[in-house]
Amino acid sequence: MGGWVKFDIYRKVPKDLTQPTYTGAIISVCCCLFILFLFLSELTGFIATEIVNELYVDDPDKDSGGKIEVNLNISLPNLHCELVGLDIQDEMGRHEVGHIDNSMKIPLNNGDGCRFEGHFSINKVPGNFHVSTHSATAQPQNPDMTHVIHKLSFGDKLQVHNVHGAFNALEGADKLSSNPLASHDYILKIVPTVYEDMSGKQRYSYQYTVANKEYVAYSHTGRIIPAIWFRYDLSPITVKYTERRQPLYRFITSICAIIGGTFTVAGILDSCIFTASEAWKKIQLGKMQ
């Protein structure tokens, strides 16, 4: 067994050749506290997840059949529910007036107003959907399109703490002080968004930017019936958020670096202090002699 001793790179220094000092003890205690602090910091970072995002050109949700789910919740406090309707049209030739599937109308202000809630799908091509009186059997003399938008979202609902985006950019849009006879145009640029969690499961949602204008439209026959238009187009760029955790090997490497680096620096510092202290003692001793 004696031959193996030659390969011991961690040879022990005999205790009679070492000298404990108060300075060394203080540095050792500080090192332990410092290592503990860095260890806890690294452990917190290892346990927590991070969100990495990337951009690419693709249609991420190919299994959707070319459809996007839409959720709309809007209040028109000065328009009767029997007058409110949803129309959908796009560049694939779809033209649907008075869409009623998966929709609900809730009377407001003792029946003088209406809250429209609808869940419907649109094709992945440029188009529009609009809230208007077009589907009503009789048109009102003075339609009032003042409104408040509570929700307009596309795709799956994402409630992730570290992901901030414009998934409901029109929430709280208040047009109650607008001209009652004005039409409202909301021009939306829809951006496909993918969220992939730690298990690899993906959820598909859509963010959007919005610009808007309001106007009173006229034609040669007179004033055009006002409406609330949502004109949309899709961006070819997809945003992907991926949930990740620091690899175990990187965590172990960081801990080893913390421990080794701290003790190495502490050893150098202790050695410098001890050498300086011994030199100072020799100088004082020389002065006394």
mmCIF file of all heavy atoms in Angstrom, residues 75-126:
data_model
loop_
_atom_site.group_PDB
_atom_site.id
_atom_site.type_symbol
_atom_site.label_atom_id
_atom_site.label_comp_id
_atom_site.label_asym_id
_atom_site.label_seq_id
_atom_site.Cartn_x
_atom_site.Cartn_y
_atom_site.Cartn_z
ATOM 1 N N SER A 75 -69.134 45.979 -24.047
ATOM 2 C CA SER A 75 -70.385 46.577 -23.569
ATOM 3 C C SER A 75 -70.733 47.800 -24.406
ATOM 4 O O SER A 75 -69.868 48.648 -24.668
ATOM 5 C CB SER A 75 -70.261 46.996 -22.095
ATOM 6 O OG SER A 75 -70.182 45.875 -21.253
ATOM 7 N N LEU A 76 -72.010 47.880 -24.819
ATOM 8 C CA LEU A 76 -72.547 49.053 -25.506
ATOM 9 C C LEU A 76 -73.703 49.565 -24.643
ATOM 10 O O LEU A 76 -74.842 49.076 -24.760
ATOM 11 C CB LEU A 76 -73.035 48.702 -26.910
ATOM 12 C CG LEU A 76 -71.954 48.190 -27.878
ATOM 13 C CD1 LEU A 76 -71.860 46.669 -27.839
ATOM 14 C CD2 LEU A 76 -72.222 48.668 -29.300
ATOM 15 N N PRO A 77 -73.465 50.501 -23.766
ATOM 16 C CA PRO A 77 -74.463 50.896 -22.765
ATOM 17 C C PRO A 77 -75.666 51.650 -23.324
ATOM 18 O O PRO A 77 -76.632 51.872 -22.587
ATOM 19 C CB PRO A 77 -73.664 51.777 -21.806
ATOM 20 C CG PRO A 77 -72.521 52.284 -22.610
ATOM 21 C CD PRO A 77 -72.182 51.208 -23.588
ATOM 22 N N ASN A 78 -75.619 52.011 -24.618
ATOM 23 C CA ASN A 78 -76.734 52.789 -25.174
ATOM 24 C C ASN A 78 -77.326 52.165 -26.434
ATOM 25 O O ASN A 78 -77.861 52.859 -27.297
ATOM 26 C CB ASN A 78 -76.250 54.219 -25.492
ATOM 27 C CG ASN A 78 -75.719 54.934 -24.260
ATOM 28 O OD1 ASN A 78 -76.381 55.015 -23.232
ATOM 29 N ND2 ASN A 78 -74.493 55.436 -24.358
ATOM 30 N N LEU A 79 -77.228 50.832 -26.518
ATOM 31 C CA LEU A 79 -77.769 50.131 -27.680
ATOM 32 C C LEU A 79 -78.476 48.859 -27.206
ATOM 33 O O LEU A 79 -77.890 48.055 -26.488
ATOM 34 C CB LEU A 79 -76.644 49.784 -28.663
ATOM 35 C CG LEU A 79 -77.050 49.411 -30.087
ATOM 36 C CD1 LEU A 79 -77.718 50.601 -30.787
ATOM 37 C CD2 LEU A 79 -75.842 48.955 -30.896
ATOM 38 N N HIS A 80 -79.733 48.684 -27.615
ATOM 39 C CA HIS A 80 -80.538 47.544 -27.183
ATOM 40 C C HIS A 80 -79.937 46.237 -27.706
ATOM 41 O O HIS A 80 -79.378 46.184 -28.804
ATOM 42 C CB HIS A 80 -81.977 47.679 -27.686
ATOM 43 C CG HIS A 80 -82.734 48.795 -27.039
ATOM 44 N ND1 HIS A 80 -83.413 48.637 -25.852
ATOM 45 C CD2 HIS A 80 -82.920 50.096 -27.408
ATOM 46 C CE1 HIS A 80 -83.988 49.780 -25.515
ATOM 47 N NE2 HIS A 80 -83.707 50.688 -26.448
ATOM 48 N N CYS A 81 -80.099 45.163 -26.915
ATOM 49 C CA CYS A 81 -79.522 43.873 -27.288
ATOM 50 C C CYS A 81 -80.089 43.326 -28.593
ATOM 51 O O CYS A 81 -79.378 42.647 -29.349
ATOM 52 C CB CYS A 81 -79.752 42.849 -26.158
ATOM 53 S SG CYS A 81 -78.565 42.982 -24.785
ATOM 54 N N GLU A 82 -81.379 43.604 -28.894
ATOM 55 C CA GLU A 82 -81.950 43.072 -30.127
ATOM 56 C C GLU A 82 -81.345 43.721 -31.371
ATOM 57 O O GLU A 82 -81.505 43.220 -32.489
ATOM 58 C CB GLU A 82 -83.475 43.238 -30.147
ATOM 59 C CG GLU A 82 -83.979 44.667 -30.124
ATOM 60 C CD GLU A 82 -84.255 45.166 -28.710
ATOM 61 O OE1 GLU A 82 -83.754 44.539 -27.744
ATOM 62 O OE2 GLU A 82 -84.992 46.160 -28.568
ATOM 63 N N LEU A 83 -80.632 44.834 -31.162
ATOM 64 C CA LEU A 83 -79.990 45.507 -32.294
ATOM 65 C C LEU A 83 -78.538 45.090 -32.497
ATOM 66 O O LEU A 83 -77.969 45.301 -33.575
ATOM 67 C CB LEU A 83 -80.036 47.030 -32.090
ATOM 68 C CG LEU A 83 -81.418 47.665 -31.986
ATOM 69 C CD1 LEU A 83 -81.294 49.143 -31.619
ATOM 70 C CD2 LEU A 83 -82.192 47.493 -33.285
ATOM 71 N N VAL A 84 -77.924 44.501 -31.458
ATOM 72 C CA VAL A 84 -76.493 44.188 -31.491
ATOM 73 C C VAL A 84 -76.262 42.863 -32.208
ATOM 74 O O VAL A 84 -76.936 41.864 -31.941
ATOM 75 C CB VAL A 84 -75.922 44.119 -30.060
ATOM 76 C CG1 VAL A 84 -74.458 43.694 -30.087
ATOM 77 C CG2 VAL A 84 -76.079 45.470 -29.367
ATOM 78 N N GLY A 85 -75.295 42.860 -33.112
ATOM 79 C CA GLY A 85 -74.950 41.629 -33.821
ATOM 80 C C GLY A 85 -73.475 41.593 -34.169
ATOM 81 O O GLY A 85 -72.792 42.623 -34.174
ATOM 82 N N LEU A 86 -72.979 40.387 -34.447
ATOM 83 C CA LEU A 86 -71.577 40.196 -34.820
ATOM 84 C C LEU A 86 -71.507 39.686 -36.251
ATOM 85 O O LEU A 86 -72.162 38.697 -36.601
ATOM 86 C CB LEU A 86 -70.904 39.190 -33.879
ATOM 87 C CG LEU A 86 -69.458 38.834 -34.212
ATOM 88 C CD1 LEU A 86 -68.535 40.035 -33.950
ATOM 89 C CD2 LEU A 86 -68.987 37.633 -33.397
ATOM 90 N N ASP A 87 -70.728 40.357 -37.089
ATOM 91 C CA ASP A 87 -70.532 39.950 -38.480
ATOM 92 C C ASP A 87 -69.070 39.587 -38.688
ATOM 93 O O ASP A 87 -68.173 40.243 -38.141
ATOM 94 C CB ASP A 87 -70.920 41.080 -39.426
ATOM 95 C CG ASP A 87 -72.300 41.657 -39.097
ATOM 96 O OD1 ASP A 87 -73.163 40.876 -38.658
ATOM 97 O OD2 ASP A 87 -72.484 42.879 -39.255
ATOM 98 N N ILE A 88 -68.814 38.554 -39.496
ATOM 99 C CA ILE A 88 -67.452 38.074 -39.750
ATOM 100 C C ILE A 88 -67.253 37.944 -41.251
ATOM 101 O O ILE A 88 -68.098 37.374 -41.949
ATOM 102 C CB ILE A 88 -67.211 36.700 -39.070
ATOM 103 C CG1 ILE A 88 -67.586 36.747 -37.585
ATOM 104 C CG2 ILE A 88 -65.769 36.266 -39.242
ATOM 105 C CD1 ILE A 88 -67.578 35.385 -36.903
ATOM 106 N N GLN A 89 -66.138 38.450 -41.756
ATOM 107 C CA GLN A 89 -65.799 38.283 -43.166
ATOM 108 C C GLN A 89 -64.285 38.268 -43.333
ATOM 109 O O GLN A 89 -63.552 38.845 -42.525
ATOM 110 C CB GLN A 89 -66.436 39.382 -44.010
ATOM 111 C CG GLN A 89 -66.045 40.795 -43.634
ATOM 112 C CD GLN A 89 -66.871 41.831 -44.365
ATOM 113 O OE1 GLN A 89 -67.933 42.240 -43.905
ATOM 114 N NE2 GLN A 89 -66.373 42.277 -45.518
ATOM 115 N N ASP A 90 -63.797 37.585 -44.359
ATOM 116 C CA ASP A 90 -62.357 37.520 -44.595
ATOM 117 C C ASP A 90 -62.070 37.307 -46.073
ATOM 118 O O ASP A 90 -62.994 37.214 -46.908
ATOM 119 C CB ASP A 90 -61.703 36.417 -43.733
ATOM 120 C CG ASP A 90 -62.249 35.030 -44.025
ATOM 121 O OD1 ASP A 90 -62.550 34.735 -45.191
ATOM 122 O OD2 ASP A 90 -62.383 34.231 -43.067
ATOM 123 N N GLU A 91 -60.793 37.198 -46.412
ATOM 124 C CA GLU A 91 -60.367 37.108 -47.803
ATOM 125 C C GLU A 91 -60.553 35.716 -48.400
ATOM 126 O O GLU A 91 -60.270 35.495 -49.568
ATOM 127 C CB GLU A 91 -58.903 37.543 -47.926
ATOM 128 C CG GLU A 91 -58.693 39.030 -47.662
ATOM 129 C CD GLU A 91 -57.279 39.491 -47.935
ATOM 130 O OE1 GLU A 91 -56.452 38.646 -48.369
ATOM 131 O OE2 GLU A 91 -56.997 40.685 -47.732
ATOM 132 N N MET A 92 -61.010 34.741 -47.585
ATOM 133 C CA MET A 92 -61.317 33.413 -48.121
ATOM 134 C C MET A 92 -62.770 33.333 -48.593
ATOM 135 O O MET A 92 -63.246 32.274 -48.983
ATOM 136 C CB MET A 92 -61.058 32.339 -47.053
ATOM 137 C CG MET A 92 -59.588 32.143 -46.748
ATOM 138 S SD MET A 92 -59.288 30.792 -45.581
ATOM 139 C CE MET A 92 -59.788 29.373 -46.571
ATOM 140 N N GLY A 93 -63.487 34.456 -48.544
ATOM 141 C CA GLY A 93 -64.853 34.502 -49.020
ATOM 142 C C GLY A 93 -65.889 34.334 -47.930
ATOM 143 O O GLY A 93 -67.097 34.317 -48.216
ATOM 144 N N ARG A 94 -65.466 34.232 -46.696
ATOM 145 C CA ARG A 94 -66.437 34.107 -45.607
ATOM 146 C C ARG A 94 -67.149 35.444 -45.402
ATOM 147 O O ARG A 94 -66.506 36.485 -45.332
ATOM 148 C CB ARG A 94 -65.728 33.684 -44.329
ATOM 149 C CG ARG A 94 -66.658 33.520 -43.126
ATOM 150 C CD ARG A 94 -65.864 33.152 -41.889
ATOM 151 N NE ARG A 94 -66.726 32.879 -40.747
ATOM 152 C CZ ARG A 94 -66.276 32.587 -39.533
ATOM 153 N NH1 ARG A 94 -64.966 32.535 -39.299
ATOM 154 N NH2 ARG A 94 -67.119 32.343 -38.543
ATOM 155 N N HIS A 95 -68.463 35.394 -45.303
ATOM 156 C CA HIS A 95 -69.232 36.605 -45.019
ATOM 157 C C HIS A 95 -70.454 36.184 -44.218
ATOM 158 O O HIS A 95 -71.460 35.743 -44.775
ATOM 159 C CB HIS A 95 -69.638 37.322 -46.302
ATOM 160 C CG HIS A 95 -70.193 38.692 -46.047
ATOM 161 N ND1 HIS A 95 -70.593 39.538 -47.055
ATOM 162 C CD2 HIS A 95 -70.407 39.385 -44.896
ATOM 163 C CE1 HIS A 95 -71.042 40.675 -46.551
ATOM 164 N NE2 HIS A 95 -70.940 40.604 -45.227
ATOM 165 N N GLU A 96 -70.349 36.304 -42.928
ATOM 166 C CA GLU A 96 -71.390 35.838 -42.016
ATOM 167 C C GLU A 96 -71.966 37.027 -41.264
ATOM 168 O O GLU A 96 -71.241 37.718 -40.534
ATOM 169 C CB GLU A 96 -70.800 34.818 -41.040
ATOM 170 C CG GLU A 96 -71.821 34.146 -40.145
ATOM 171 C CD GLU A 96 -71.193 33.063 -39.283
ATOM 172 O OE1 GLU A 96 -70.025 32.699 -39.538
ATOM 173 O OE2 GLU A 96 -71.863 32.595 -38.350
ATOM 174 N N VAL A 97 -73.246 37.263 -41.422
ATOM 175 C CA VAL A 97 -73.927 38.378 -40.768
ATOM 176 C C VAL A 97 -74.789 37.835 -39.628
ATOM 177 O O VAL A 97 -75.582 36.910 -39.833
ATOM 178 C CB VAL A 97 -74.814 39.159 -41.769
ATOM 179 C CG1 VAL A 97 -75.541 40.301 -41.055
ATOM 180 C CG2 VAL A 97 -73.971 39.698 -42.917
ATOM 181 N N GLY A 98 -74.593 38.406 -38.446
ATOM 182 C CA GLY A 98 -75.389 37.987 -37.295
ATOM 183 C C GLY A 98 -74.937 36.663 -36.710
ATOM 184 O O GLY A 98 -75.759 35.786 -36.431
ATOM 185 N N HIS A 99 -73.651 36.488 -36.526
ATOM 186 C CA HIS A 99 -73.125 35.257 -35.926
ATOM 187 C C HIS A 99 -73.667 35.120 -34.504
ATOM 188 O O HIS A 99 -73.561 36.041 -33.692
ATOM 189 C CB HIS A 99 -71.593 35.313 -35.894
ATOM 190 C CG HIS A 99 -70.958 34.105 -35.281
ATOM 191 N ND1 HIS A 99 -70.618 33.005 -36.020
ATOM 192 C CD2 HIS A 99 -70.621 33.818 -33.990
ATOM 193 C CE1 HIS A 99 -70.078 32.092 -35.233
ATOM 194 N NE2 HIS A 99 -70.072 32.561 -33.988
ATOM 195 N N ILE A 100 -74.242 33.941 -34.192
ATOM 196 C CA ILE A 100 -74.866 33.770 -32.874
ATOM 197 C C ILE A 100 -74.319 32.574 -32.104
ATOM 198 O O ILE A 100 -74.599 32.425 -30.916
ATOM 199 C CB ILE A 100 -76.402 33.614 -33.008
ATOM 200 C CG1 ILE A 100 -76.724 32.416 -33.909
ATOM 201 C CG2 ILE A 100 -77.052 34.889 -33.525
ATOM 202 C CD1 ILE A 100 -78.208 32.090 -33.978
ATOM 203 N N ASP A 101 -73.519 31.692 -32.734
ATOM 204 C CA ASP A 101 -72.995 30.520 -32.039
ATOM 205 C C ASP A 101 -72.058 30.941 -30.900
ATOM 206 O O ASP A 101 -71.197 31.817 -31.078
ATOM 207 C CB ASP A 101 -72.246 29.605 -33.009
ATOM 208 C CG ASP A 101 -73.177 29.000 -34.058
ATOM 209 O OD1 ASP A 101 -74.389 28.957 -33.784
ATOM 210 O OD2 ASP A 101 -72.678 28.594 -35.124
ATOM 211 N N ASN A 102 -72.208 30.283 -29.751
ATOM 212 C CA ASN A 102 -71.348 30.530 -28.582
ATOM 213 C C ASN A 102 -71.286 32.016 -28.209
ATOM 214 O O ASN A 102 -70.220 32.524 -27.844
ATOM 215 C CB ASN A 102 -69.923 30.016 -28.839
ATOM 216 C CG ASN A 102 -69.883 28.524 -29.098
ATOM 217 O OD1 ASN A 102 -70.525 27.754 -28.389
ATOM 218 N ND2 ASN A 102 -69.161 28.125 -30.131
ATOM 219 N N SER A 103 -72.408 32.685 -28.325
ATOM 220 C CA SER A 103 -72.449 34.107 -27.973
ATOM 221 C C SER A 103 -73.583 34.346 -26.982
ATOM 222 O O SER A 103 -74.520 33.547 -26.868
ATOM 223 C CB SER A 103 -72.628 34.987 -29.209
ATOM 224 O OG SER A 103 -73.858 34.709 -29.843
ATOM 225 N N MET A 104 -73.477 35.447 -26.272
ATOM 226 C CA MET A 104 -74.475 35.773 -25.252
ATOM 227 C C MET A 104 -74.631 37.282 -25.180
ATOM 228 O O MET A 104 -73.655 38.033 -25.259
ATOM 229 C CB MET A 104 -74.002 35.220 -23.898
ATOM 230 C CG MET A 104 -74.947 35.489 -22.733
ATOM 231 S SD MET A 104 -74.448 34.552 -21.249
ATOM 232 C CE MET A 104 -72.743 35.076 -21.071
ATOM 233 N N LYS A 105 -75.892 37.727 -25.028
ATOM 234 C CA LYS A 105 -76.191 39.145 -24.869
ATOM 235 C C LYS A 105 -76.818 39.365 -23.496
ATOM 236 O O LYS A 105 -77.792 38.704 -23.142
ATOM 237 C CB LYS A 105 -77.145 39.624 -25.963
ATOM 238 C CG LYS A 105 -76.607 39.475 -27.377
ATOM 239 C CD LYS A 105 -77.650 39.911 -28.395
ATOM 240 C CE LYS A 105 -77.177 39.686 -29.821
ATOM 241 N NZ LYS A 105 -78.201 40.098 -30.816
ATOM 242 N N ILE A 106 -76.231 40.289 -22.745
ATOM 243 C CA ILE A 106 -76.704 40.584 -21.390
ATOM 244 C C ILE A 106 -77.205 42.026 -21.357
ATOM 245 O O ILE A 106 -76.429 42.959 -21.609
ATOM 246 C CB ILE A 106 -75.579 40.391 -20.371
ATOM 247 C CG1 ILE A 106 -75.007 38.975 -20.477
ATOM 248 C CG2 ILE A 106 -76.071 40.664 -18.948
ATOM 249 C CD1 ILE A 106 -73.749 38.766 -19.670
ATOM 250 N N PRO A 107 -78.491 42.249 -21.063
ATOM 251 C CA PRO A 107 -79.024 43.625 -21.017
ATOM 252 C C PRO A 107 -78.340 44.462 -19.932
ATOM 253 O O PRO A 107 -78.037 43.969 -18.843
ATOM 254 C CB PRO A 107 -80.505 43.420 -20.702
ATOM 255 C CG PRO A 107 -80.797 42.020 -21.128
ATOM 256 C CD PRO A 107 -79.551 41.241 -20.856
ATOM 257 N N LEU A 108 -78.126 45.731 -20.250
ATOM 258 C CA LEU A 108 -77.538 46.686 -19.303
ATOM 259 C C LEU A 108 -78.455 47.904 -19.188
ATOM 260 O O LEU A 108 -79.255 48.179 -20.095
ATOM 261 C CB LEU A 108 -76.150 47.138 -19.779
ATOM 262 C CG LEU A 108 -75.061 46.067 -19.961
ATOM 263 C CD1 LEU A 108 -73.812 46.720 -20.556
ATOM 264 C CD2 LEU A 108 -74.727 45.393 -18.638
ATOM 265 N N ASN A 109 -78.314 48.632 -18.108
ATOM 266 C CA ASN A 109 -79.053 49.899 -17.924
ATOM 267 C C ASN A 109 -80.551 49.731 -18.154
ATOM 268 O O ASN A 109 -81.161 50.456 -18.951
ATOM 269 C CB ASN A 109 -78.493 50.991 -18.851
ATOM 270 C CG ASN A 109 -77.029 51.260 -18.619
ATOM 271 O OD1 ASN A 109 -76.510 51.034 -17.524
ATOM 272 N ND2 ASN A 109 -76.335 51.721 -19.653
ATOM 273 N N ASN A 110 -81.106 48.729 -17.467
ATOM 274 C CA ASN A 110 -82.552 48.476 -17.579
ATOM 275 C C ASN A 110 -82.994 48.175 -19.013
ATOM 276 O O ASN A 110 -84.087 48.556 -19.436
ATOM 277 C CB ASN A 110 -83.357 49.651 -17.013
ATOM 278 C CG ASN A 110 -83.093 49.868 -15.534
ATOM 279 O OD1 ASN A 110 -83.013 48.907 -14.773
ATOM 280 N ND2 ASN A 110 -82.950 51.118 -15.132
ATOM 281 N N GLY A 111 -82.119 47.509 -19.751
ATOM 282 C CA GLY A 111 -82.457 47.125 -21.114
ATOM 283 C C GLY A 111 -82.065 48.120 -22.171
ATOM 284 O O GLY A 111 -82.183 47.826 -23.373
ATOM 285 N N ASP A 112 -81.586 49.288 -21.772
ATOM 286 C CA ASP A 112 -81.184 50.301 -22.766
ATOM 287 C C ASP A 112 -79.826 49.996 -23.386
ATOM 288 O O ASP A 112 -79.489 50.535 -24.445
ATOM 289 C CB ASP A 112 -81.137 51.687 -22.110
ATOM 290 C CG ASP A 112 -82.522 52.183 -21.722
ATOM 291 O OD1 ASP A 112 -83.494 51.747 -22.376
ATOM 292 O OD2 ASP A 112 -82.627 52.977 -20.771
ATOM 293 N N GLY A 113 -79.032 49.174 -22.718
ATOM 294 C CA GLY A 113 -77.704 48.836 -23.209
ATOM 295 C C GLY A 113 -77.537 47.329 -23.317
ATOM 296 O O GLY A 113 -78.438 46.554 -23.008
ATOM 297 N N CYS A 114 -76.348 46.918 -23.770
ATOM 298 C CA CYS A 114 -76.114 45.493 -23.989
ATOM 299 C C CYS A 114 -74.630 45.160 -23.800
ATOM 300 O O CYS A 114 -73.748 45.941 -24.183
ATOM 301 C CB CYS A 114 -76.540 45.101 -25.406
ATOM 302 S SG CYS A 114 -76.469 43.328 -25.725
ATOM 303 N N ARG A 115 -74.425 44.002 -23.190
ATOM 304 C CA ARG A 115 -73.065 43.460 -23.090
ATOM 305 C C ARG A 115 -73.011 42.208 -23.955
ATOM 306 O O ARG A 115 -73.768 41.258 -23.732
ATOM 307 C CB ARG A 115 -72.726 43.136 -21.641
ATOM 308 C CG ARG A 115 -71.336 42.531 -21.456
ATOM 309 C CD ARG A 115 -70.958 42.557 -19.998
ATOM 310 N NE ARG A 115 -69.660 41.937 -19.756
ATOM 311 C CZ ARG A 115 -68.894 42.198 -18.710
ATOM 312 N NH1 ARG A 115 -69.309 43.093 -17.812
ATOM 313 N NH2 ARG A 115 -67.740 41.603 -18.539
ATOM 314 N N PHE A 116 -72.110 42.236 -24.942
ATOM 315 C CA PHE A 116 -71.992 41.117 -25.874
ATOM 316 C C PHE A 116 -70.753 40.299 -25.539
ATOM 317 O O PHE A 116 -69.647 40.842 -25.448
ATOM 318 C CB PHE A 116 -71.916 41.630 -27.315
ATOM 319 C CG PHE A 116 -71.761 40.536 -28.338
ATOM 320 C CD1 PHE A 116 -72.872 39.891 -28.845
ATOM 321 C CD2 PHE A 116 -70.500 40.139 -28.762
ATOM 322 C CE1 PHE A 116 -72.732 38.870 -29.784
ATOM 323 C CE2 PHE A 116 -70.349 39.129 -29.687
ATOM 324 C CZ PHE A 116 -71.472 38.480 -30.199
ATOM 325 N N GLU A 117 -70.941 38.987 -25.350
ATOM 326 C CA GLU A 117 -69.836 38.071 -25.102
ATOM 327 C C GLU A 117 -69.887 36.985 -26.163
ATOM 328 O O GLU A 117 -70.917 36.314 -26.321
ATOM 329 C CB GLU A 117 -69.933 37.455 -23.705
ATOM 330 C CG GLU A 117 -69.860 38.471 -22.577
ATOM 331 C CD GLU A 117 -69.957 37.835 -21.209
ATOM 332 O OE1 GLU A 117 -69.832 36.583 -21.130
ATOM 333 O OE2 GLU A 117 -70.155 38.567 -20.223
ATOM 334 N N GLY A 118 -68.812 36.818 -26.883
ATOM 335 C CA GLY A 118 -68.790 35.836 -27.959
ATOM 336 C C GLY A 118 -67.498 35.056 -28.009
ATOM 337 O O GLY A 118 -66.414 35.577 -27.702
ATOM 338 N N HIS A 119 -67.619 33.774 -28.368
ATOM 339 C CA HIS A 119 -66.467 32.900 -28.576
ATOM 340 C C HIS A 119 -66.630 32.294 -29.967
ATOM 341 O O HIS A 119 -67.574 31.546 -30.220
ATOM 342 C CB HIS A 119 -66.423 31.807 -27.512
ATOM 343 C CG HIS A 119 -65.273 30.851 -27.687
ATOM 344 N ND1 HIS A 119 -63.982 31.170 -27.322
ATOM 345 C CD2 HIS A 119 -65.226 29.602 -28.201
ATOM 346 C CE1 HIS A 119 -63.191 30.145 -27.599
ATOM 347 N NE2 HIS A 119 -63.915 29.185 -28.138
ATOM 348 N N PHE A 120 -65.725 32.626 -30.885
ATOM 349 C CA PHE A 120 -65.862 32.186 -32.261
ATOM 350 C C PHE A 120 -64.481 31.992 -32.865
ATOM 351 O O PHE A 120 -63.451 32.286 -32.228
ATOM 352 C CB PHE A 120 -66.674 33.205 -33.069
ATOM 353 C CG PHE A 120 -66.140 34.611 -33.012
ATOM 354 C CD1 PHE A 120 -65.295 35.102 -34.008
ATOM 355 C CD2 PHE A 120 -66.461 35.458 -31.955
ATOM 356 C CE1 PHE A 120 -64.790 36.385 -33.952
ATOM 357 C CE2 PHE A 120 -65.964 36.745 -31.892
ATOM 358 C CZ PHE A 120 -65.124 37.210 -32.887
ATOM 359 N N SER A 121 -64.434 31.489 -34.063
ATOM 360 C CA SER A 121 -63.155 31.238 -34.732
ATOM 361 C C SER A 121 -63.075 32.043 -36.021
ATOM 362 O O SER A 121 -64.094 32.314 -36.669
ATOM 363 C CB SER A 121 -62.972 29.744 -35.031
ATOM 364 O OG SER A 121 -63.979 29.290 -35.916
ATOM 365 N N ILE A 122 -61.849 32.407 -36.383
ATOM 366 C CA ILE A 122 -61.596 33.115 -37.640
ATOM 367 C C ILE A 122 -60.533 32.350 -38.414
ATOM 368 O O ILE A 122 -59.770 31.563 -37.842
ATOM 369 C CB ILE A 122 -61.121 34.567 -37.392
ATOM 370 C CG1 ILE A 122 -59.867 34.591 -36.508
ATOM 371 C CG2 ILE A 122 -62.239 35.393 -36.774
ATOM 372 C CD1 ILE A 122 -59.269 35.966 -36.295
ATOM 373 N N ASN A 123 -60.511 32.537 -39.718
ATOM 374 C CA ASN A 123 -59.495 31.905 -40.558
ATOM 375 C C ASN A 123 -58.175 32.663 -40.463
ATOM 376 O O ASN A 123 -58.147 33.859 -40.177
ATOM 377 C CB ASN A 123 -59.960 31.865 -42.017
ATOM 378 C CG ASN A 123 -61.180 30.978 -42.207
ATOM 379 O OD1 ASN A 123 -61.261 29.876 -41.684
ATOM 380 N ND2 ASN A 123 -62.163 31.484 -42.967
ATOM 381 N N LYS A 124 -57.092 31.946 -40.709
ATOM 382 C CA LYS A 124 -55.765 32.557 -40.632
ATOM 383 C C LYS A 124 -55.445 33.307 -41.926
ATOM 384 O O LYS A 124 -54.427 33.067 -42.586
ATOM 385 C CB LYS A 124 -54.702 31.491 -40.358
ATOM 386 C CG LYS A 124 -54.791 30.898 -38.960
ATOM 387 C CD LYS A 124 -53.668 29.898 -38.718
ATOM 388 C CE LYS A 124 -53.727 29.355 -37.307
ATOM 389 N NZ LYS A 124 -52.641 28.375 -37.037
ATOM 390 N N VAL A 125 -56.321 34.214 -42.281
ATOM 391 C CA VAL A 125 -56.120 35.093 -43.431
ATOM 392 C C VAL A 125 -56.610 36.477 -43.019
ATOM 393 O O VAL A 125 -57.385 36.609 -42.065
ATOM 394 C CB VAL A 125 -56.893 34.597 -44.673
ATOM 395 C CG1 VAL A 125 -56.347 33.259 -45.161
ATOM 396 C CG2 VAL A 125 -58.382 34.504 -44.377
ATOM 397 N N PRO A 126 -56.173 37.528 -43.694
ATOM 398 C CA PRO A 126 -56.664 38.869 -43.353
ATOM 399 C C PRO A 126 -58.184 38.944 -43.468
ATOM 400 O O PRO A 126 -58.799 38.345 -44.349
ATOM 401 C CB PRO A 126 -55.975 39.770 -44.390
ATOM 402 C CG PRO A 126 -54.744 39.014 -44.776
ATOM 403 C CD PRO A 126 -55.125 37.576 -44.732
#
